[in-house]
Amino acid sequence: MKNTYLYIFCLCLFSMASCSLETEPLTQQTDGNFYKTTDDAYAALVGCYDGMQVATGGAGKGVPVVTEIMSDDCFGGTGNSDKYDYAAIDEFDISRAPAEIDMFNDNWIAYYKALYRCNVLLSKMDQIDWKGDTALRNTYESETKFIRAYLYFEMVRLWGNIPLLTAPSTENVPQATPEEVYKVIAEDLVFASNNLPSVAYSATVSGRVTKWAAKSLLGRVFLYYTGYYGKTDLVGVVTKTQALAHLEDVVASSGHGLLDDFSTLWPAASVDKYAGESNKEVVFSIKYTFTSDYNGNTDGNHWLVMFGMREFSWYPYGRGWGVTVNAKLWNAYAANDTRRTATMIGITEEKIPFTKINNQREYTGYYNKKYSPMVDKNGVDMPLVLGSQFWDISQYQDYTVLRYADVLLMAAELGSGSAQNYFDQVRRRAYKTAFTSLPVTQDNIMNERHLEFALEGIRYWDLLRQGVSKASASIAETTTVLNGGAQATKTISAGNIQKTNGLQQIPNTQITLSNGVLKQNAGW
């Protein structure tokens, strides 16, 4: 960007008077003239939220999509003539697409850009004039640390071995151990849990991190770390008792609760009855809107179209690129479980005259309804109805990271004295008048999590935290799908998942740029 400078020249006529040159930028913010006021701090905090939004929704392969493809609930799908990158991810087999050595490079770059913003703001906290408002400082610092923790949690689960940066740096940093990364995550979330205000969710600004979000994410991190790595506590920072206490505090004090009707959580499942993006069950979500363009404005949900029916719309469902849902998921639900029809689009069950089978790879007859693009009654893509020029990159549905139902089931899993009550609350909503109680066992909780959170980007991590062997056994299968309308055999090997330890490919470009300091994960 071109800088504009104010120059003050002194004309020295017949004298040796000194002259000065003022070079303070008038149109560009720098470390010298920024990070001084609370307004500056707020602007920088918004930049951190924006970095998270882009990293999770507007750059590379959408992680919610990738994690569903890696799970037992979805296949890679996409177009019958498309490249096989999603198949390689789905089958944990780079030989399916040998040239795809940089599948996550855009994700990697966007994550570290967002982390850089967080680290810069955290490094400037003492430089900002807070005017004695310690509570405001603690709030902004907590939100920033939550964002940093969330980003690192996404990255360390996906790649396992990543460089850890807690201060702004351009150094060629080697990969940290997972324990080192999780220690930062845990400490950041504990700080946020202890320092964010204790106000009910309805009193917060939509999309802002809350105390309840920090406590809930801490529970998720605890369960994943201790499960995947076989530990009893979270790197010496959080014990099981403490993790449960945080979740119990969310139940007791947050004001969050379950919606009466599960379908109203999802726009395409409920349409006019949709409860809205800031309903009482949403503990934390990443916000998107419909104003993305190809000039650098990336505030839309770019990954949502991956879940849409392949190049086909049928009110209220919009077109997309055709990541397909495994028919096993439909069959996993009881007929009287109301979550089934709220979770999946069933082509036959809903009598949808789908005409693009010849363009669809790995067709199963099922698509994601929770995260589906939408059209109006005239078949016009909703982003276009709202004024966007680009239907594909301007999808605007938020990504719900944490729901209150998750808090209940995590607390039950950690041994709450109210575990049966929490478990029953989730199941009672699903079955309505057909509800019958089941005992709270680990197997029953994990099965309920599968049915409750299917297609929300949670299932794969729930499998993996039970052990790579358990995950690989659940995901591996040989089945029949339709590729371009013709029957084809689809095989996912347990051995491939075990070989990779459930981790994904580190971008080769990053390994090259590091001069080999970064090492590729096994199996890739």
Side-chain angles (χ1 to χ4, degrees):
M1 180 183 294
K2 183 177 179 180
N3 293 333
T4 301
Y5 294 98
L6 172 64
Y7 295 99
I8 301 176
F9 293 97
C10 296
L11 180 61
C12 307
L13 295 176
F14 307 109
S15 76
M16 297 297 293
S18 63
C19 299
S20 66
L21 178 64
E22 173 60 55
T23 59
E24 176 72 13
L26 291 184
T27 63
Q28 188 180 57
Q29 294 165 334
T30 69
D31 278 2
N33 65 13
F34 196 60
Y35 299 107
K36 290 184 176 180
T37 68
T38 54
D39 285 344
D40 293 343
Y42 180 74
L45 177 61
V46 170
C48 295
Y49 277 100
D50 178 71
M52 176 175 62
Q53 180 193 65
V54 172
T56 58
K61 289 176 164 56
V63 173
V65 177
V66 168
T67 54
E68 282 304 323
I69 289 171
M70 290 191 292
S71 81
D72 54 345
D73 285 344
C74 287
F75 295 129
T78 67
N80 195 47
S81 60
D82 284 348
K83 61 185 182 178
Y84 286 87
D85 50 343
Y86 283 100
I89 294 169
D90 187 15
E91 299 169 25
F92 294 81
D93 185 2
I94 194 58
S95 71
R96 297 284 277 127
E100 295 296 320
I101 60 174
D102 265 336
M103 290 188 289
F104 296 101
N105 194 50
D106 289 342
N107 299 78
W108 184 282
I109 292 169
Y111 274 122
Y112 277 104
K113 282 184 177 179
L115 286 168
Y116 181 82
R117 292 182 182 185
C118 294
N119 287 332
V120 169
L121 177 54
L122 291 172
S123 73
K124 301 295 184 181
M125 284 289 166
D126 291 337
Q127 180 178 308
I128 295 164
D129 181 6
W130 298 98
K131 299 189 182 301
D133 194 340
T134 303
L136 183 65
R137 172 182 172 148
N138 286 342
T139 297
Y140 285 13
E141 185 172 352
S142 295
E143 289 180 72
T144 307
K145 286 186 172 181
F146 176 97
I147 294 169
R148 181 169 70 176
Y150 180 77
L151 293 167
Y152 269 131
F153 187 43
E154 291 283 280
M155 296 166 69
V156 75
R157 284 189 301 178
L158 191 64
W159 291 303
N161 305 284
I162 56 174
L164 175 63
L165 296 167
T166 57
S169 174
T170 58
E171 294 182 13
N172 186 11
V173 179
Q175 288 143 302
T177 65
E179 289 76 14
E180 290 172 315
V181 178
Y182 275 99
K183 189 171 190 295
V184 171
I185 293 170
E187 289 172 345
D188 280 355
L189 291 177
V190 167
F191 182 91
S193 297
N194 292 338
N195 287 282
L196 282 163
S198 299
V199 294
Y201 85 95
S202 58
T204 64
V205 177
S206 177
R208 294 283 291 273
V209 172
T210 66
K211 176 184 288 287
W212 321 118
K215 288 172 174 283
S216 301
L217 185 58
L218 191 56
R220 180 176 290 177
V221 171
F222 178 90
L223 284 167
Y224 186 79
Y225 176 79
T226 56
Y228 183 76
Y229 294 100
K231 305 293 185 179
T232 57
D233 63 26
L234 182 52
V235 289
V237 177
V238 180
T239 65
K240 181 178 180 179
T241 300
Q242 291 169 331
L244 175 58
H246 282 294
L247 294 172
E248 296 282 28
D249 194 22
V250 178
V251 174
S253 307
S254 70
H256 286 290
L258 297 178
L259 297 181
D260 293 333
D261 184 343
F262 180 83
S263 70
T264 60
L265 284 162
W266 317 108
S270 57
V271 193
D272 294 336
K273 295 181 180 180
Y274 175 47
E277 58 191 18
S278 299
N279 66 73
K280 67 179 181 178
E281 190 161 339
V282 176
V283 178
F284 181 68
S285 62
I286 296 176
K287 310 295 290 183
Y288 303 109
T289 190
F290 54 85
T291 55
S292 281
D293 56 37
Y294 287 100
N295 295 319
N297 297 308
T298 53
D299 47 12
N301 183 334
H302 292 198
W303 54 258
L304 193 74
V305 292
M306 297 304 304
F307 284 129
M309 295 184 293
R310 181 71 192 185
E311 300 174 344
F312 182 84
S313 299
W314 185 260
Y315 178 78
Y317 316 125
R319 55 183 164 156
W321 303 137
V323 166
T324 55
V325 175
N326 194 327
K328 288 196 310 183
L329 181 59
W330 181 271
N331 296 326
Y333 289 91
N336 58 358
D337 190 333
T338 61
R339 292 172 296 194
R340 178 161 71 176
T341 55
T343 297
M344 283 168 282
I345 299 169
I347 298 299
T348 299
E349 291 79 4
E350 298 184 46
K351 298 181 173 57
I352 297 172
F354 185 67
T355 60
K356 298 292 185 177
I357 290 179
N358 289 344
N359 294 353
Q360 174 73 69
R361 182 185 294 154
E362 298 178 344
Y363 179 75
T364 63
Y366 298 100
Y367 293 95
N368 189 335
K369 189 181 290 189
K370 288 180 175 177
Y371 289 102
S372 171
M374 294 179 69
V375 294
D376 68 6
K377 292 181 179 179
N378 296 316
V380 180
D381 301 290
M382 285 305 299
L384 304 184
V385 172
L386 294 170
S388 175
Q389 300 179 57
F390 309 101
W391 70 276
D392 52 349
I393 62 171
S394 290
Q395 297 294 332
Y396 53 88
Q397 184 178 339
D398 294 348
Y399 176 50
T400 301
V401 174
L402 290 156
R403 290 199 279 118
Y404 184 69
D406 200 355
V407 175
L408 293 176
L409 292 181
M410 286 192 293
E413 186 176 349
L414 286 172
S416 169
S418 302
Q420 187 69 56
N421 176 35
Y422 295 164
F423 186 59
D424 286 349
Q425 282 186 51
V426 174
R427 297 188 69 254
R428 187 175 286 110
R429 175 175 66 178
Y431 291 95
K432 302 294 185 183
T433 57
F435 167 76
T436 56
S437 184
L438 290 177
V440 183
T441 65
Q442 182 68 16
D443 286 345
N444 284 343
I445 289 173
M446 296 312 296
N447 183 62
E448 206 58 42
R449 289 185 63 83
H450 185 197
L451 302 175
E452 179 72 19
F453 306 118
L455 309 185
E456 296 180 44
I458 292 174
R459 169 65 172 172
Y460 179 68
W461 307 123
D462 273 355
L463 285 174
L464 206 56
R465 69 182 175 88
Q466 296 176 75
V468 175
S469 295
K470 168 72 173 177
S472 61
S474 298
I475 296 168
E477 70 171 306
T478 297
T479 190
T480 300
V481 293
L482 294 179
N483 288 346
Q487 286 193 347
T489 299
K490 169 77 172 181
T491 298
I492 301 175
S493 164
N496 285 344
I497 301 169
Q498 293 168 7
K499 185 168 55 177
T500 62
N501 291 314
L503 302 175
Q504 274 296 326
Q505 177 197 71
I506 291 175
N508 188 69
T509 289
Q510 300 305 319
I511 295 173
T512 301
L513 289 172
S514 76
N515 291 320
V517 170
L518 300 183
K519 306 300 180 185
Q520 184 58 270
N521 283 327
W524 294 102

